[in-house]
Amino acid sequence: MKAIETALEGCFIIEPKIIGDSRGYFFESFNESNFAEAIKQEVHFVQDNQSFSSYGVLRGLHAQAGEYAQAKLVRVLQGEVLDVTVDFRRDSPTYLQHVSVVLSAENKRQLFVPRGFLHGFLVLSQTAEFFYKCDNFYNKDAEIGVKFDDPTLAIDWKIALDELIISEKDQILPYLNQLDR
């Protein structure tokens, strides 16, 4: 496994070692001790989640606040997504900066999203199956978010905004200038 640090401290692109031959391939998607060594911190995942979406579905930008904050290890089992994470840690030198990474079944990359980051993704393929591990349990009352098209963040979602399929919940998220920061 190779961990590539992004421009956001603590956020890593994970590239697994893939063993392939005429039968197909094998890779270890997670090994706690190798993972901790690669990102230089211990993370104990407690919950796995999976979603299936079609082209243009945008999920996010979400996070869990306070004691319910979650770190995530995300990957795509089928299809391709643009995965976006925003540093939402007020004391960070990269506060409100973001990283966008294409994750796909083909490239088998994963993204480690630390606690204190907003996270979202957009489906770029006809369909996509998205899988993620969390180091804390979901709590609906602790969920926070920022609107996907916030001008301060200026995220390039790679497709026209009128092609996006967004839940009602995500459509009514606040812009940064509407939050008490």
Side-chain angles (χ1 to χ4, degrees), residues 111-123:
L111 185 68
F112 176 69
V113 180
R115 288 183 176 201
F117 281 63
L118 296 168
H119 177 255
F121 67 90
L122 170 67
V123 178

PDB file of all heavy atoms in Angstrom, residues 111-123:
ATOM      1  N   LEU A 111      -9.489   7.153  -0.656  1.00  0.00           N
ATOM      2  CA  LEU A 111      -9.156   8.431  -0.049  1.00  0.00           C
ATOM      3  C   LEU A 111      -9.427   8.335   1.438  1.00  0.00           C
ATOM      4  O   LEU A 111     -10.514   7.903   1.843  1.00  0.00           O
ATOM      5  CB  LEU A 111      -9.986   9.570  -0.664  1.00  0.00           C
ATOM      6  CG  LEU A 111      -9.624  10.978  -0.181  1.00  0.00           C
ATOM      7  CD1 LEU A 111      -8.231  11.382  -0.672  1.00  0.00           C
ATOM      8  CD2 LEU A 111     -10.653  11.994  -0.649  1.00  0.00           C
ATOM      9  N   PHE A 112      -8.432   8.729   2.233  1.00  0.00           N
ATOM     10  CA  PHE A 112      -8.631   8.826   3.675  1.00  0.00           C
ATOM     11  C   PHE A 112      -8.993  10.259   3.996  1.00  0.00           C
ATOM     12  O   PHE A 112      -8.232  11.187   3.721  1.00  0.00           O
ATOM     13  CB  PHE A 112      -7.377   8.412   4.453  1.00  0.00           C
ATOM     14  CG  PHE A 112      -7.549   8.608   5.932  1.00  0.00           C
ATOM     15  CD1 PHE A 112      -8.430   7.815   6.658  1.00  0.00           C
ATOM     16  CD2 PHE A 112      -6.866   9.611   6.595  1.00  0.00           C
ATOM     17  CE1 PHE A 112      -8.610   8.009   8.016  1.00  0.00           C
ATOM     18  CE2 PHE A 112      -7.036   9.813   7.965  1.00  0.00           C
ATOM     19  CZ  PHE A 112      -7.915   9.006   8.666  1.00  0.00           C
ATOM     20  N   VAL A 113     -10.180  10.438   4.567  1.00  0.00           N
ATOM     21  CA  VAL A 113     -10.714  11.746   4.941  1.00  0.00           C
ATOM     22  C   VAL A 113     -10.662  11.841   6.465  1.00  0.00           C
ATOM     23  O   VAL A 113     -11.383  11.120   7.154  1.00  0.00           O
ATOM     24  CB  VAL A 113     -12.167  11.908   4.447  1.00  0.00           C
ATOM     25  CG1 VAL A 113     -12.722  13.259   4.835  1.00  0.00           C
ATOM     26  CG2 VAL A 113     -12.262  11.677   2.942  1.00  0.00           C
ATOM     27  N   PRO A 114      -9.826  12.710   7.028  1.00  0.00           N
ATOM     28  CA  PRO A 114      -9.720  12.812   8.486  1.00  0.00           C
ATOM     29  C   PRO A 114     -10.960  13.441   9.122  1.00  0.00           C
ATOM     30  O   PRO A 114     -11.788  14.054   8.439  1.00  0.00           O
ATOM     31  CB  PRO A 114      -8.513  13.727   8.701  1.00  0.00           C
ATOM     32  CG  PRO A 114      -7.889  13.928   7.382  1.00  0.00           C
ATOM     33  CD  PRO A 114      -8.901  13.599   6.345  1.00  0.00           C
ATOM     34  N   ARG A 115     -11.042  13.321  10.413  1.00  0.00           N
ATOM     35  CA  ARG A 115     -12.098  14.019  11.164  1.00  0.00           C
ATOM     36  C   ARG A 115     -11.950  15.523  10.938  1.00  0.00           C
ATOM     37  O   ARG A 115     -10.840  16.033  10.790  1.00  0.00           O
ATOM     38  CB  ARG A 115     -11.991  13.718  12.660  1.00  0.00           C
ATOM     39  CG  ARG A 115     -12.404  12.316  13.011  1.00  0.00           C
ATOM     40  CD  ARG A 115     -12.340  12.089  14.506  1.00  0.00           C
ATOM     41  NE  ARG A 115     -12.844  10.753  14.827  1.00  0.00           N
ATOM     42  CZ  ARG A 115     -13.275  10.394  16.000  1.00  0.00           C
ATOM     43  NH1 ARG A 115     -13.264  11.268  17.006  1.00  0.00           N
ATOM     44  NH2 ARG A 115     -13.727   9.169  16.209  1.00  0.00           N
ATOM     45  N   GLY A 116     -13.081  16.223  10.909  1.00  0.00           N
ATOM     46  CA  GLY A 116     -13.054  17.669  10.755  1.00  0.00           C
ATOM     47  C   GLY A 116     -13.101  18.125   9.303  1.00  0.00           C
ATOM     48  O   GLY A 116     -12.906  19.300   9.022  1.00  0.00           O
ATOM     49  N   PHE A 117     -13.354  17.216   8.381  1.00  0.00           N
ATOM     50  CA  PHE A 117     -13.428  17.546   6.965  1.00  0.00           C
ATOM     51  C   PHE A 117     -14.849  17.354   6.457  1.00  0.00           C
ATOM     52  O   PHE A 117     -15.542  16.405   6.850  1.00  0.00           O
ATOM     53  CB  PHE A 117     -12.513  16.628   6.143  1.00  0.00           C
ATOM     54  CG  PHE A 117     -11.066  17.010   6.178  1.00  0.00           C
ATOM     55  CD1 PHE A 117     -10.351  16.988   7.365  1.00  0.00           C
ATOM     56  CD2 PHE A 117     -10.404  17.367   5.016  1.00  0.00           C
ATOM     57  CE1 PHE A 117      -9.014  17.324   7.394  1.00  0.00           C
ATOM     58  CE2 PHE A 117      -9.068  17.709   5.032  1.00  0.00           C
ATOM     59  CZ  PHE A 117      -8.367  17.691   6.223  1.00  0.00           C
ATOM     60  N   LEU A 118     -15.291  18.253   5.572  1.00  0.00           N
ATOM     61  CA  LEU A 118     -16.523  18.041   4.815  1.00  0.00           C
ATOM     62  C   LEU A 118     -16.191  17.055   3.701  1.00  0.00           C
ATOM     63  O   LEU A 118     -15.062  17.033   3.201  1.00  0.00           O
ATOM     64  CB  LEU A 118     -17.015  19.347   4.199  1.00  0.00           C
ATOM     65  CG  LEU A 118     -17.435  20.453   5.161  1.00  0.00           C
ATOM     66  CD1 LEU A 118     -17.611  21.763   4.414  1.00  0.00           C
ATOM     67  CD2 LEU A 118     -18.722  20.066   5.883  1.00  0.00           C
ATOM     68  N   HIS A 119     -17.183  16.271   3.298  1.00  0.00           N
ATOM     69  CA  HIS A 119     -16.930  15.273   2.268  1.00  0.00           C
ATOM     70  C   HIS A 119     -18.135  15.150   1.351  1.00  0.00           C
ATOM     71  O   HIS A 119     -19.283  15.244   1.792  1.00  0.00           O
ATOM     72  CB  HIS A 119     -16.640  13.912   2.926  1.00  0.00           C
ATOM     73  CG  HIS A 119     -16.437  12.820   1.937  1.00  0.00           C
ATOM     74  ND1 HIS A 119     -17.384  11.863   1.700  1.00  0.00           N
ATOM     75  CD2 HIS A 119     -15.411  12.567   1.097  1.00  0.00           C
ATOM     76  CE1 HIS A 119     -16.939  11.042   0.761  1.00  0.00           C
ATOM     77  NE2 HIS A 119     -15.748  11.455   0.383  1.00  0.00           N
ATOM     78  N   GLY A 120     -17.869  14.926   0.086  1.00  0.00           N
ATOM     79  CA  GLY A 120     -18.931  14.673  -0.878  1.00  0.00           C
ATOM     80  C   GLY A 120     -18.366  14.027  -2.123  1.00  0.00           C
ATOM     81  O   GLY A 120     -17.154  13.987  -2.323  1.00  0.00           O
ATOM     82  N   PHE A 121     -19.271  13.513  -2.954  1.00  0.00           N
ATOM     83  CA  PHE A 121     -18.815  12.945  -4.220  1.00  0.00           C
ATOM     84  C   PHE A 121     -19.884  13.094  -5.280  1.00  0.00           C
ATOM     85  O   PHE A 121     -21.073  13.218  -4.992  1.00  0.00           O
ATOM     86  CB  PHE A 121     -18.387  11.478  -4.065  1.00  0.00           C
ATOM     87  CG  PHE A 121     -19.490  10.509  -3.728  1.00  0.00           C
ATOM     88  CD1 PHE A 121     -20.213   9.863  -4.732  1.00  0.00           C
ATOM     89  CD2 PHE A 121     -19.798  10.216  -2.414  1.00  0.00           C
ATOM     90  CE1 PHE A 121     -21.216   8.965  -4.428  1.00  0.00           C
ATOM     91  CE2 PHE A 121     -20.794   9.311  -2.095  1.00  0.00           C
ATOM     92  CZ  PHE A 121     -21.510   8.682  -3.108  1.00  0.00           C
ATOM     93  N   LEU A 122     -19.425  13.063  -6.538  1.00  0.00           N
ATOM     94  CA  LEU A 122     -20.278  13.174  -7.714  1.00  0.00           C
ATOM     95  C   LEU A 122     -20.025  11.972  -8.606  1.00  0.00           C
ATOM     96  O   LEU A 122     -18.868  11.666  -8.924  1.00  0.00           O
ATOM     97  CB  LEU A 122     -19.951  14.458  -8.485  1.00  0.00           C
ATOM     98  CG  LEU A 122     -20.597  14.597  -9.856  1.00  0.00           C
ATOM     99  CD1 LEU A 122     -22.110  14.756  -9.740  1.00  0.00           C
ATOM    100  CD2 LEU A 122     -19.989  15.754 -10.616  1.00  0.00           C
ATOM    101  N   VAL A 123     -21.097  11.312  -9.043  1.00  0.00           N
ATOM    102  CA  VAL A 123     -20.968  10.147  -9.917  1.00  0.00           C
ATOM    103  C   VAL A 123     -20.711  10.612 -11.348  1.00  0.00           C
ATOM    104  O   VAL A 123     -21.509  11.355 -11.920  1.00  0.00           O
ATOM    105  CB  VAL A 123     -22.222   9.252  -9.838  1.00  0.00           C
ATOM    106  CG1 VAL A 123     -22.101   8.070 -10.791  1.00  0.00           C
ATOM    107  CG2 VAL A 123     -22.440   8.772  -8.406  1.00  0.00           C
TER     108      VAL A 123
END
